[in-house]
Amino acid sequence: MNYLGLNAEKVEQTVNELNQLLSNYHVYYQNLRNYHWNINGENFFDLHERFEHLYNIARTNIDEVAERILTLRHTPVSTLTTYLRRAEVEEASVTHDEHEMIDTILDNHKILIKSFRRVMKEADDCGDEGTVDMMGGFLADIEKESWMLDAWRSKSVAHA
């Protein structure tokens, strides 16, 4: 049943981008967990807490993306193998270098931002305002988080 009244063919394009986003988000989430567990040094408290904050947001958003795919009457990708194969976000290595961690997270944010925008374009093309609205909120939030991480990085690099 097409209870949303959307063009089924165009919805498939949106769902494809949502599944791409879901894959990117899962690898990003694990990168944050990696860094949360492996941060140490003088900025431990700030970054340990910040990484936890970010992975909690990611975990919630992952669920919302998957549930949006289900709302659109499709199946979200749901295996680690699929996430790693599809993701543009690369799995981060273990590091204890806080600047490398922040740079990687900011790079991950760039990829997520591009992914949000692709989803928004496809969703807008089929009149799916619900998905556009969801992505707009995610985009605004990650842009703000990126600004804060970049501000920390700039201060930190200036004092190094």
Side-chain angles (χ1 to χ4, degrees):
M1 171 183 247
N2 186 356
Y3 53 84
L4 299 178
L6 300 173
N7 177 298
E9 192 174 300
K10 288 186 176 185
V11 166
E12 283 188 39
Q13 295 167 348
T14 301
V15 169
N16 184 52
E17 291 298 338
L18 284 166
N19 272 318
Q20 182 65 47
L21 174 60
L22 196 56
S23 298
N24 285 331
Y25 244 136
H26 269 281
V27 177
Y28 164 70
Y29 171 82
Q30 191 56 43
N31 288 346
L32 291 166
R33 297 296 303 234
N34 171 2
Y35 293 163
H36 174 75
W37 294 328
N38 289 295
I39 189 67
N40 56 38
E42 69 180 278
N43 291 304
F44 170 82
F45 290 107
D46 290 339
L47 292 179
H48 185 76
E49 184 177 308
R50 177 56 49 183
F51 294 147
E52 183 174 8
H53 168 75
L54 290 171
Y55 75 63
N56 283 330
I57 292 169
R59 185 185 67 234
T60 298
N61 290 357
I62 285 167
D63 192 55
E64 288 190 36
V65 170
E67 289 178 354
R68 186 64 191 171
I69 293 168
L70 292 163
T71 299
L72 295 171
R73 306 302 284 178
H74 286 268
T75 304
V77 294
S78 58
T79 66
L80 296 174
T81 301
T82 304
Y83 299 145
L84 289 170
R85 181 175 42 81
R86 287 189 65 144
E88 298 154 299
V89 171
E90 293 182 17
E91 185 178 31
S93 301
V94 173
T95 183
H96 299 286
D97 182 317
E98 62 195 22
H99 295 99
E100 183 180 337
M101 290 175 177
I102 297 300
D103 288 345
T104 298
I105 295 305
L106 286 170
D107 286 342
N108 289 183
H109 284 189
K110 285 181 200 175
I111 293 167
L112 288 170
I113 287 167
K114 286 180 187 176
S115 197
F116 294 147
R117 290 179 177 151
R118 286 192 312 259
V119 171
M120 289 170 68
K121 180 191 176 306
E122 293 299 335
D124 188 52
D125 286 349
C126 73
D128 179 2
E129 293 88 0
T131 300
V132 170
D133 183 57
M134 176 187 288
M135 292 302 112
F138 291 173
L139 179 62
D141 289 345
I142 207 164
E143 287 174 340
K144 184 175 180 180
E145 294 293 345
S146 296
W147 160 65
M148 289 191 270
L149 289 171
D150 189 57
W152 177 90
R153 189 179 153 281
S154 297
K155 173 191 142 278
S156 180
V157 171
H159 290 107

